[in-house]
Amino acid sequence: QVQLVESGGGLVQAGDSLRLSCAASGGTFSSYAMNWFRQAPGKERELVATIAWSGGGTYYRDSVKGRFTIARDNAKNTVYLQMNDLKPEDTAVYYCAADIGGKGLYEYWGQGTQVTVSS
């Protein structure tokens, strides 16, 4: 079993920055890809960013490219999402998810952390 706990959300103004953290326990953190999703009110959950087990490969959805950076510290079993130049449309609950099997099944999820960006 893998447990994931997010932190770092909050209320900020447009143009501000936040860094989300997701601490993992259980399993072998350094062996699987990690992901950040978000879900805004009334919208479907969407994949924001992915980082490979080694940290060597990343993916970003177009709307966050150049503003968000995903990183991981395998020694600390933690994945981060640095969010710069935040926009009101980034407002959502952000979740981290572990892709244990490498097939995009996202077997484990955190409880989510709220990010609210005011204009």
Side-chain angles (χ1 to χ4, degrees), residues 26-49:
T28 304
F29 181 75
S30 60
S31 68
Y32 50 83
M34 288 296 297
N35 309 269
W36 284 99
F37 286 79
R38 67 186 180 188
Q39 187 166 22
K43 295 188 177 181
E44 293 187 355
R45 190 173 297 187
E46 61 185 20
L47 178 62
V48 175

Side-chain angles (χ1 to χ4, degrees), residues 8-85:
L11 172 62
V12 298
Q13 293 186 333
D16 285 350
S17 298
L18 276 176
R19 189 177 79 156
L20 305 183
S21 299
C22 171
S25 59
T28 304
F29 181 75
S30 60
S31 68
Y32 50 83
M34 288 296 297
N35 309 269
W36 284 99
F37 286 79
R38 67 186 180 188
Q39 187 166 22
K43 295 188 177 181
E44 293 187 355
R45 190 173 297 187
E46 61 185 20
L47 178 62
V48 175
T50 297
I51 187 165
W53 64 272
S54 64
T58 57
Y59 158 84
Y60 299 93
R61 69 180 303 105
D62 286 346
S63 60
V64 307
K65 285 180 181 177
R67 300 188 298 121
F68 289 13
T69 302
I70 189 170
R72 65 191 297 160
D73 185 338
N74 286 343
K76 295 183 177 180
N77 287 359
T78 302
V79 62
Y80 306 96
L81 186 67
Q82 177 67 42
M83 305 185 294
N84 298 329
D85 188 23

